[in-house]
Amino acid sequence: MTQHQAMLVYDGDCAFCTTWVTRLKNTLGVFPEAQPWQWLDLKQFDLTDSDVRSAAWFFRGGEAFRGHAAFGAVLRMQDSLGLRFLGNLLVTPPFSWLARVGYFFIARYRHRLPGGTPACAMPNQRS
């Protein structure tokens, strides 16, 4: 991957995450390359196992975006002015505060959301 290519890194073991990446890929006009973190050399992206287990990541033009900011960055790539506006809102306070909390709850409880499975639970929730 070169510095200017865009890539979304997500949890490929999570059915909820995989379903939403597929839905967004089929819905949005512009979508970056998307790869499960399990297929990547995390050192190449300067990520740790903990980083990728807790959030999705988006890389573009030498920048890294995590969680809600990653989703906002993908929306800012779109041709639609409305989606680009929404992408900017997601990273602008006070909207970004709400987006961060919303992303946290979605990530934490993704195993309980539609499409989620027990395998989607965060590592500290598996017993």
Side-chain angles (χ1 to χ4, degrees), residues 1-64:
M1 185 175 97
T2 68
Q3 179 176 336
H4 297 288
Q5 288 178 312
M7 180 179 292
L8 178 68
V9 177
Y10 67 98
D11 187 350
D13 286 342
C14 174
F16 178 82
C17 299
T18 302
T19 296
W20 277 99
V21 166
T22 302
R23 284 182 183 172
L24 291 170
K25 190 178 209 176
N26 292 333
T27 303
L28 297 175
V30 179
F31 200 78
E33 178 182 355
Q35 294 289 329
W37 67 261
Q38 293 87 346
W39 297 0
L40 302 173
D41 176 7
L42 298 180
K43 293 176 191 169
Q44 178 185 356
F45 296 90
D46 200 24
L47 293 173
T48 66
D49 206 49
S50 177
D51 291 334
V52 294
R53 289 184 184 275
S54 62
W57 289 80
F58 178 68
F59 297 90
R60 184 175 185 193
E63 291 184 277

